[in-house]
């Protein structure tokens, strides 16, 4: 079995383990009033364990094989800029998908509202930034990297989106996965994607904390929901169009900043060679194994069927 086939098999196992494990967890805790943080922790463990098992079985030395060079201060500032400029694209994809399917993130935010602020940050921003980047950019992106940057970025981004197991988060999860892969490639460090992942989720955690403060200060929740619902019914489509136009401009600036990141990390020539097709020509001469196989198709099909079933229930 080739390395790619083993990686795709790991994806299939990851899907089965995550979905099956979530149902088993629900059965074991049936009738128990556990905090949402327990659910979030279990979800992260169900993702981590199959990926960790793959690295052990294949004797993968994470220190050597996953790029983790330290980032300079200028590179960190660049990552902050990439984060801020990525937000309109993510907002557009979130709003656009919300026209057709439920907003999954809103449901999670509602469950976390009222919880301790530091717990929201820990379980929504800190833990996922490390665990999910280890799995999706560490194991999968680096594992597919022998097929070339673009294929590795798209495959790892697709898996990242699918593993959210709902169409709403898949829409922007896929885009985020590609951006995360790009900053890893440009910087030569998985710490870059961890930093952006943390900053994006930190904003969400802070929004939940702000809503908690408003609720605690006596703001009527029903009135807020009523205003929000009226706004969505009247202006949502217009908002999607406006945010989409802004996203085109800011996404172009993200590309500029990713290239600047490569320059700040002394990888400008290498990154330009990758983007301009130099790597693709080299891979064509060398030849690579098949990227899409029954294992990957099976994993993707299970994810899609699960997402469809959630819409029908």
């Amino acid at each position: 079995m080739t390395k790619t086939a083993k990686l795709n098999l790991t994806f299939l196992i990851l899907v089965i383990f995550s979905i099956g494990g979530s149902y088993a967890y629900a059965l074991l805790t049936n009738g128990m009033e556990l905090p949402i943080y327990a659910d979030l922790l279990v979800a992260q463990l169900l993702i981590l364990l199959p990926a960790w098992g793959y690295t052990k079985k294949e004797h993968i030395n994470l220190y050597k094989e996953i790029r983790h060079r330290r980032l300079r201060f200028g590179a960190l500032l660049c990552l902050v800029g990439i984060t801020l400029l990525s937000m309109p694209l993510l907002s557009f994809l979130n709003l656009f998908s919300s026209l057709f399917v439920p907003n999954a993130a809103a449901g999670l935010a509602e469950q976390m509202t009222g919880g301790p602020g530091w717990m929201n940050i820990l379980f929504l921003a800190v833990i996922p930034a490390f665990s999910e980047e280890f799995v999706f950019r560490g194991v999968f992106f680096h594992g597919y990297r022998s097929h070339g940057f673009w294929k590795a970025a798209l495959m790892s981004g697709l898996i990242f989106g699918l593993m959210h197991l709902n169409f709403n988060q898949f829409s922007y999860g896929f885009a985020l996965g590609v951006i995360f892969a790009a900053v890893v490639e440009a910087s030569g460090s998985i710490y870059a994607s961890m930093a952006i992942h943390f900053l994006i989720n930190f904003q969400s955690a802070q929004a939940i904390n702000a809503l908690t403060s408003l609720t605690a200060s006596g703001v009527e929740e029903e009135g807020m929901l009523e205003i929000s619902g009226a706004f969505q019914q009247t202006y949502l489509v217009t908002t999607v169009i406006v945010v989409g136009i802004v996203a085109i401009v800011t996404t172009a600036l993200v590309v500029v900043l990713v290239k600047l990141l490569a320059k700040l990390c002394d990888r400008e020539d290498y990154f330009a060679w990758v983007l301009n097709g130099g790597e693709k020509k080299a891979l064509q001469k060398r030849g690579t194994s098949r990227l899409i196989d029954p294992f990957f198709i099976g994993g993707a099909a299970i994810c899609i069927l699960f997402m469809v079933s959630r819409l029908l229930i």
Side-chain angles (χ1 to χ4, degrees):
M1 186 181 292
T2 65
K3 178 181 178 180
T4 301
K6 292 177 181 178
L7 201 60
N8 288 339
L9 176 59
T10 301
F11 167 53
L12 176 59
I13 294 172
L14 176 61
V15 171
I16 296 172
F17 196 78
S18 295
I19 296 176
S22 64
Y23 278 114
Y25 171 72
L27 288 173
L28 289 172
T29 59
N30 185 32
M32 300 173 60
E33 294 185 4
L34 296 176
I36 183 62
Y37 308 109
D39 299 346
L40 294 174
L41 182 59
V42 169
Q44 291 297 317
L45 289 174
L46 291 175
I47 291 174
L48 270 173
L49 290 176
W52 178 80
Y54 167 78
T55 62
K56 291 300 180 182
K57 185 175 185 301
E58 297 302 313
H59 305 289
I60 295 174
N61 188 322
L62 299 178
Y63 186 81
K64 292 182 178 180
E65 297 194 28
I66 296 179
R67 288 167 283 184
H68 56 275
R69 60 186 293 185
R70 294 182 180 179
L71 299 173
R72 301 171 184 171
F73 181 71
L76 292 175
L77 291 178
C78 191
L79 291 171
V80 173
I82 292 172
T83 302
L84 295 175
L85 290 171
S86 297
M87 294 310 296
L89 174 62
L90 305 184
S91 297
F92 166 73
L93 293 172
N94 182 32
L95 288 169
F96 182 77
S97 62
S98 295
L99 293 172
F100 310 100
V101 295
N103 189 318
L108 176 61
E110 184 177 349
Q111 295 181 68
M112 298 182 72
T113 300
W118 70 271
M119 290 280 282
N120 291 339
I121 293 173
L122 176 64
F123 283 89
L124 197 60
V126 177
I127 294 176
F130 284 95
S131 63
E132 293 180 10
E133 289 312 300
F134 160 73
V135 174
F136 299 108
R137 255 59 61 186
V139 174
F140 285 103
F141 174 66
H142 284 89
Y144 290 124
R145 192 60 189 80
S146 60
H147 292 269
F149 164 71
W150 286 112
K151 289 182 179 180
L154 291 172
M155 285 289 287
S156 60
L158 181 59
I159 290 174
F160 181 57
L162 287 170
M163 286 308 302
H164 282 82
L165 297 175
N166 65 80
F167 287 110
N168 172 243
Q169 290 180 298
F170 167 79
S171 64
Y172 55 85
F174 173 65
L176 267 179
V178 175
I179 293 173
F180 289 159
V183 298
V184 169
E185 192 69 23
S187 64
S189 176
I190 196 172
Y191 296 144
S193 63
M194 286 181 176
I196 296 183
H197 198 148
F198 167 79
L199 290 171
I200 290 174
N201 286 17
F202 178 78
Q203 294 180 70
S204 299
Q206 286 296 80
I208 294 172
N209 293 340
L211 184 58
T212 299
S213 298
L214 287 173
T215 304
S217 64
V219 176
E220 291 293 334
E221 185 176 352
E222 291 184 4
M224 292 174 62
L225 292 174
E226 184 178 338
I227 294 172
S228 176
F231 176 82
Q232 288 182 5
Q233 291 177 4
T234 309
Y235 300 109
L236 184 55
V237 174
T238 303
T239 303
V240 169
I241 295 173
V242 172
V243 174
I245 294 172
V246 174
I248 293 173
V249 177
T250 56
T251 302
L253 294 175
V254 167
V255 175
V256 174
L257 283 188
V258 171
K259 292 181 179 179
L260 175 60
L261 177 65
K263 182 176 181 179
L264 293 171
C265 295
D266 301 321
R267 292 168 63 87
E268 183 179 16
D269 292 339
Y270 163 77
F271 196 57
W273 175 74
V274 170
L275 295 183
N276 294 332
E279 182 187 42
K280 182 178 179 180
K281 294 177 181 178
L283 289 172
Q284 286 175 342
K285 294 179 180 179
R286 190 184 70 186
T288 56
S289 59
R290 186 170 61 172
L291 189 60
I292 304 295
D293 62 14
F295 293 135
F296 178 81
I297 295 172
I302 293 173
C303 288
I304 294 171
L305 289 173
F306 181 80
M307 290 189 283
V308 171
S309 69
R310 293 180 70 176
L311 292 177
L312 298 177
I313 295 176

